[in-house]
Amino acid sequence: MQVLQSRNIVIMMFVLLVALVLLAPSLIAQSLKFQHIGVEDGISQDIVTCIAQDSLGFMWFGTEDGLNMYDGYSFTVFKNDPRNISSLPASVIRSLTVDSKGRLWSCTTGDVTVTEPGTRTFRRLNLAKGEAVLCEGEDSNVLISTSHGLYKYGTGREPVRVFTGAEPWLRASVMLFDQHEKRLFVGSSAGLRVFSVAGDSLIPEQSAPGFASIAGHSVSALCQSSRGDIFVSIFPAGLFRISSDLQTVEQYRSSVGDQKTLSDHRVLALAEDHQQRLWVGTFSGLDMLDAVSGRFTRYKDEGDANGLHGDRAYSICVDRSGALWVGTYRGGVNRFDPHRQRFTHIPYEPDKHGGLHARDVFSLLETDDGDLWVGTDDGLFRRRSGTNRFLQYKHNPREQCSLSNDGIFALCQRRNGELWIGGSDGVANRYEPTEDKFVRYTLPWGNAIRAMYETRDGRLLIGTESKGAFVLDSIRHRFVPWGIQGDSSHFAGVWAM
């Protein structure tokens, strides 16, 4: 009897273990939470066609009504201005690419543009009106495919045409360059073509037998995995994996009755994250492929405020921190942080005593004593360690020792414990804890303070919205220009340090 009971316990444990293994993907799917960014947050349109992160960390979102730059707080929208040759040639953005030199490339329905790092002007290449796609090739050259041929953009100011002709593959919809094997993959409405690149020459690769299954179909997306495999979305036939040696082609199919298969054979976007998982944007939601098991986990718009907004996932981007950005049709931008797996929300409570009385939060700082300081558009808030109550500091025109302004963009604690607050009025405020008051330091040129930082040698630096950086002269107790000398009208904005 004792042996029988032990055997039953073992069987029950085995069944429970199998159940947990089978249920794990669905449990993960249910717990996945997204941050939603929509038109109400300032983006020009909720049809997001492409996403990229530039070398400075800004996120760029292409829509059918403008290009949007997101700094983590607000959007700057760029559109075509017929009176400005440095504006976008058209407001419909088809694709975005950031190359290894930090340049942002925008393909619009009017022309291709390039934007140098740290600038907000769009230099037009005057290639041709209509559709164009690009990718980075060998030696940091950028390859651009148009209906008139394939161009290479190197160190000069103008692209050079390296291949001409009227072949259907030249009307590319997407391109990918394999840096290791020096191969160019060109997807178009005529299918997928693979070329070896030797200088300015393109040599067609011998196709494997499996390529017949994807010939003659429209290619909508390409992605190379960290293992070297090439994932190809064939519209509307589904998703394919091509081995790095081009000898094996595997198809992933959609099955209505199997939740672990591709949710929809109409695939729109592909991206691999830092955990080597492939994310697949489809007409019916977002899928995650486990490359080991070959099984999918599906994520759909279920009406959850913290879930995916919009089922038609047009674009996917994984930023340097590992966060996943998903652009959807009529759903705006969705952001998922894979490290936290959840969001902790401090609510806006205007009527609650001790609550956070501001919607717009510009800066956050936890000081050495564990207190949380929050800079907002309605003053400075402090939550003491171990409590859930906020104390608010505001500008009082009758008190010189109050905050100089209620717009708080920057916070910094120095090694000596001093707390510094940067306001929208161009005044730095130093907090005196013993007297619970503020001492003001006015900058030479009034300009909003956007960043504060203490260097290794103990110097306090301040970055402003458009007048450059300043350093604290500790002897004369005032801020002086730092780094750039000359006419203040030529100073650039310093928004991060």
Side-chain angles (χ1 to χ4, degrees):
M1 179 69 69
Q2 211 170 13
V3 174
L4 184 60
Q5 287 178 341
S6 300
R7 184 179 298 171
N8 288 340
I9 291 172
V10 170
I11 293 173
M12 290 174 64
M13 290 179 65
F14 177 74
V15 172
L16 179 61
L17 178 62
V18 171
L20 287 173
V21 170
L22 293 175
L23 287 173
S26 63
L27 292 175
I28 294 173
Q30 291 171 3
S31 64
L32 197 64
K33 290 179 168 45
F34 290 87
Q35 175 189 3
H36 178 243
I37 303 171
V39 174
E40 64 277 8
D41 299 297
I43 196 169
S44 62
Q45 192 190 53
D46 56 6
I47 302 176
V48 180
T49 57
C50 46
I51 308 174
Q53 183 182 35
D54 68 19
S55 57
L56 300 177
F58 294 116
M59 298 300 301
W60 293 82
F61 303 98
T63 74
E64 294 184 353
D65 189 29
L67 179 61
N68 300 259
M69 185 188 76
Y70 185 57
D71 62 6
Y73 299 104
S74 60
F75 285 94
T76 302
V77 180
F78 301 92
K79 295 185 179 184
N80 170 250
D81 181 355
R83 299 163 299 181
N84 184 2
I85 193 63
S86 295
S87 71
L88 286 168
S91 297
V92 178
I93 314 300
R94 294 302 188 198
S95 65
L96 295 170
T97 301
V98 176
D99 65 20
S100 58
K101 295 181 179 179
R103 299 174 297 192
L104 175 71
W105 298 80
S106 307
C107 291
T108 76
T109 52
D111 196 2
V112 179
T113 68
V114 58
T115 302
E116 298 296 332
T119 68
R120 298 187 183 185
T121 58
F122 303 89
R123 185 161 65 82
R124 306 177 186 185
L125 301 187
N126 298 317
L127 291 178
K129 290 185 177 181
E131 302 296 329
V133 297
L134 58 84
C135 68
E136 186 167 10
E138 193 174 8
D139 300 326
S140 299
N141 292 315
V142 174
L143 300 174
I144 307 169
S145 174
T146 74
S147 58
H148 299 284
L150 184 67
Y151 294 80
K152 181 171 72 175
Y153 186 96
T155 57
R157 288 188 57 84
E158 300 299 331
V160 177
R161 184 158 55 185
V162 296
F163 192 93
T164 59
E167 284 82 353
W169 67 265
L170 279 174
R171 297 184 178 274
S173 56
V174 62
M175 294 195 300
L176 183 148
F177 184 75
D178 183 343
Q179 296 283 353
H180 181 69
E181 299 293 341
K182 308 303 179 188
R183 292 191 183 114
L184 178 66
F185 292 80
V186 182
S188 70
S189 58
L192 181 68
R193 295 289 301 272
V194 186
F195 301 89
S196 295
V197 178
D200 291 342
S201 300
L202 298 179
I203 304 168
E205 287 268 3
Q206 187 69 32
S207 298
F211 269 60
S213 60
I214 58 177
H217 296 284
S218 179
V219 178
S220 55
L222 292 169
C223 176
Q224 185 172 27
S225 73
S226 53
R227 299 179 179 85
D229 295 341
I230 306 296
F231 286 90
V232 186
S233 65
I234 303 296
F235 195 90
L239 179 66
F240 294 79
R241 182 187 64 85
I242 302 174
S243 61
S244 56
D245 60 4
L246 305 184
Q247 296 306 303
T248 304
V249 179
E250 178 185 5
Q251 183 176 10
Y252 298 93
R253 300 179 183 275
S254 174
S255 175
V256 177
D258 189 351
Q259 293 295 313
K260 303 305 175 186
T261 62
L262 193 67
S263 63
D264 195 313
H265 55 269
R266 297 167 296 175
V267 175
L268 299 168
L270 301 169
E272 186 186 50
D273 68 14
H274 293 183
Q275 286 75 45
Q276 300 182 350
R277 299 173 299 189
L278 183 73
W279 292 87
V280 184
T282 77
F283 260 65
S284 301
L286 180 68
D287 294 352
M288 183 186 71
L289 171 65
D290 184 324
V292 177
S293 66
R295 308 294 279 173
F296 290 85
T297 304
R298 301 177 179 181
Y299 305 97
K300 294 178 65 65
D301 186 349
E302 305 286 356
D304 181 2
N306 293 318
L308 184 69
H309 284 228
D311 275 337
R312 194 177 300 180
Y314 271 138
S315 49
I316 307 172
C317 175
V318 179
D319 68 19
R320 284 173 288 182
S321 72
L324 183 74
W325 299 78
V326 183
T328 61
Y329 180 80
R330 297 300 183 193
V333 179
N334 300 266
R335 181 183 184 272
F336 168 65
D337 186 343
H339 304 296
R340 294 181 59 87
Q341 293 283 328
R342 63 184 179 86
F343 295 90
T344 301
H345 181 227
I346 299 175
Y348 166 62
E349 299 173 309
D351 301 323
K352 179 182 176 181
H353 179 68
L356 186 62
H357 299 164
R359 288 185 184 275
D360 297 329
V361 176
F362 300 128
S363 51
L364 292 168
L365 174 70
E366 184 182 28
T367 49
D368 294 338
D369 56 8
D371 287 1
L372 176 67
W373 295 82
V374 184
T376 76
D377 64 334
D378 192 28
L380 180 67
F381 291 80
R382 178 187 190 179
R383 188 177 72 178
R384 292 191 180 275
S385 177
T387 72
N388 289 318
R389 296 171 62 86
F390 284 93
L391 174 66
Q392 185 179 19
Y393 297 91
K394 287 179 65 71
H395 170 66
N396 187 337
R398 296 187 298 273
E399 294 184 11
Q400 184 65 23
C401 60
S402 69
L403 278 174
S404 62
N405 187 271
D406 286 335
I408 309 301
F409 290 154
L411 296 168
C412 175
Q413 185 181 31
R414 303 185 70 180
R415 295 183 186 90
N416 63 8
E418 289 180 351
L419 176 65
W420 287 79
I421 302 100
S424 58
D425 58 346
V427 177
N429 299 259
R430 178 170 55 85
Y431 178 60
E432 289 284 355
T434 55
E435 301 179 47
D436 200 30
K437 69 177 185 180
F438 299 89
V439 179
R440 303 175 184 178
Y441 294 74
T442 303
L443 300 187
W445 304 296
N447 200 241
I449 297 173
R450 288 288 183 175
M452 288 181 160
Y453 177 73
E454 186 180 25
T455 63
R456 290 184 180 179
D457 57 5
R459 292 181 296 170
L460 180 64
L461 302 180
I462 284 182
T464 67
E465 187 165 297
S466 61
K467 300 297 183 183
F470 295 82
V471 61
L472 176 63
D473 184 334
S474 56
I475 298 176
R476 292 183 289 177
H477 301 287
R478 66 180 186 181
F479 285 91
V480 296
W482 178 80
I484 306 176
Q485 301 297 325
D487 183 356
S488 64
S489 64
H490 295 116
F491 286 177
V494 179
W495 288 49
M497 291 178 165

